[in-house]
């Protein structure tokens, strides 16, 4: 199965135009045999907002025309896509990632861990604590967003809930390079999971984003890396590798099973 991250920019406040760009990338991905494409955080709305009023004006609904346009493209291309947006819902605004398939929205994650940065300074805290893990034709997909990579409990909870692929739409600025270089492969390796981080590589209102979108395999090997380039970066994956939580160096002599060997009763504070 071939999956991809799309390292692309965004136009602040231009949701319809950004949605059309996503559609074009979906069409290109389908032509390359890709079945899951992950786009950056807030790719539909932009991210760098300076107050709540500006943010509310740019936010869009999860069942609005932009999402329907992407759904239709997914149906035409037999694609699954993860897109980010500032989501307007009943007077509240959330930083949201949607997993979209040919039949519509499969799952939604609203960012719970909010840095004092960009539009995240003004969004609402979502209710609920259920892990964002969703069954789909491309496997069990877990969703987290950007800053949440700093919390190992987030990815571990997704994987304990069955995620075979963890997807992280992000807007890492250049000051966050440590997250791309170190945290991303570690989160994959410590959880024996495929990890996809999709970042921007452009600028918005004086904020420069570093790129470094990547796909990492379940032993922490980077199998696709975007550097600073714009485009689709893909890899073939075997989900059976993410289901196997044991490493056998020498059968009967040297085997490690970090999930089986967990001692959660000792982790309480």
């Amino acid at each position: 199965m071939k999956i991809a991250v799309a390292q692309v920019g965004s136009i602040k406040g231009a949701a319809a135009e950004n949605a059309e760009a996503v559609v074009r990338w979906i069409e290109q991905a389908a032509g390359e045999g890709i079945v899951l494409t992950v786009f950056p955080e807030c790719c539909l709305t932009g991210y760098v907002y300076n107050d709540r009023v500006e943010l509310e004006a740019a936010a869009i609904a999860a069942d609005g025309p932009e999402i329907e346009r992407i759904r239709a493209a997914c149906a035409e291309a037999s694609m699954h896509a993860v897109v980010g947006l500032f989501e307007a819902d009943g007077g509240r605004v959330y930083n949201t990632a949607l997993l979209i398939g040919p039949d519509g929205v499969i799952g939604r994650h609203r960012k719970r861990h909010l840095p004092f940065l960009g539009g995240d300074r003004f969004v609402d805290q979502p209710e609920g604590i259920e892990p964002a893990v969703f069954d789909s034709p491309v496997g069990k997909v877990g969703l987290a967003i950007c800053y949440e990579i700093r919390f190992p409990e987030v990815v571990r909870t997704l994987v304990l809930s069955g995620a075979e692929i963890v997807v992280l739409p992000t807007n890492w600025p250049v000051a966050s390079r440590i997250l791309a270089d170190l945290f991303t492969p570690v989160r994959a390796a410590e959880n024996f999971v495929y990890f996809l981080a999709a970042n921007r590589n452009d600028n918005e209102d004086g904020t420069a984003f570093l790129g470094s979108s990547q796909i990492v395999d379940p032993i922490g090997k980077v199998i696709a890396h975007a550097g600073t380039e714009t485009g689709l970066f893909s890899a073939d994956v075997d989900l059976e590798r993410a289901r196997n939580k044991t490493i056998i160096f020498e059968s009967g002599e040297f085997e490690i099973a970090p999930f089986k060997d967990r001692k959660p009763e000792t982790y309480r504070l």
Side-chain angles (χ1 to χ4, degrees), residues 195-226:
F195 196 99
L196 283 71
N199 194 29
R200 296 170 63 170
N201 62 336
D202 62 342
N203 292 267
E204 184 181 308
D205 278 8
T207 297
F209 300 99
L210 63 83
S212 294
S213 300
Q214 55 198 282
I215 302 172
V216 187
D217 78 3
I219 61 170
K221 180 181 178 181
V222 178
I223 54 177
H225 197 291

Side-chain angles (χ1 to χ4, degrees), residues 2-252:
K2 195 173 185 181
I3 61 178
V5 289
Q7 183 157 286
V8 296
S10 180
I11 302 172
K12 180 179 174 180
E17 189 171 346
N18 291 328
E20 289 303 317
V22 167
V23 166
R24 291 192 293 272
W25 287 113
I26 286 173
E27 291 170 346
Q28 179 176 328
E32 296 178 17
I34 294 163
V35 297
L36 171 66
T37 307
V38 180
F39 292 87
E41 178 184 16
C42 294
C43 67
L44 296 179
T45 54
Y47 179 76
V48 184
Y49 289 91
N50 299 308
D51 56 50
R52 174 75 180 210
V53 172
E54 186 184 31
L55 179 68
E56 288 181 346
I60 62 174
D63 59 356
E66 300 87 1
I67 303 305
E68 171 56 25
R69 180 75 179 94
I70 294 169
R71 183 213 63 79
C74 287
E76 180 70 22
S78 298
M79 178 67 62
H80 287 75
V82 175
V83 298
L85 63 149
F86 282 123
E87 177 197 1
D89 183 13
R92 299 174 72 81
V93 179
Y94 304 102
N95 183 336
T96 297
L98 299 176
L99 172 61
I100 303 172
D103 297 325
V105 175
I106 296 171
R108 169 171 55 194
H109 173 62
R110 290 170 170 170
K111 190 176 183 181
R112 298 185 181 117
H113 302 76
L114 301 168
F116 194 74
L117 178 69
D120 278 333
R121 294 173 293 169
F122 312 111
V123 299
D124 295 296
Q125 182 71 39
E127 297 179 354
I129 59 171
E130 290 302 310
V133 178
F134 307 100
D135 284 309
S136 78
V138 295
K140 294 181 179 179
V141 179
L143 303 178
I145 301 173
C146 196
Y147 182 54
E148 294 181 319
I149 195 174
R150 282 192 175 270
F151 303 86
E153 300 90 346
V154 172
V155 180
R156 176 54 56 90
T157 300
L158 294 175
V159 176
L160 288 173
S161 300
E164 299 159 336
I165 301 170
V166 171
V167 167
L168 188 88
T170 184
N171 275 186
W172 287 329
V174 293
S176 297
R177 180 165 297 281
I178 189 174
L179 301 182
D181 293 350
L182 300 180
F183 281 59
T184 302
V186 167
R187 291 290 170 266
E190 71 187 357
N191 289 290
F192 296 82
V193 72
Y194 285 102
F195 196 99
L196 283 71
N199 194 29
R200 296 170 63 170
N201 62 336
D202 62 342
N203 292 267
E204 184 181 308
D205 278 8
T207 297
F209 300 99
L210 63 83
S212 294
S213 300
Q214 55 198 282
I215 302 172
V216 187
D217 78 3
I219 61 170
K221 180 181 178 181
V222 178
I223 54 177
H225 197 291
T228 59
E229 299 301 311
T230 297
L232 296 169
F233 299 84
S234 64
D236 289 307
V237 301
D238 175 6
L239 296 187
E240 193 57 40
R241 294 185 62 201
R243 298 173 188 134
N244 176 24
K245 304 302 185 185
T246 301
I247 298 177
I248 300 175
F249 295 97
E250 185 175 349
S251 182

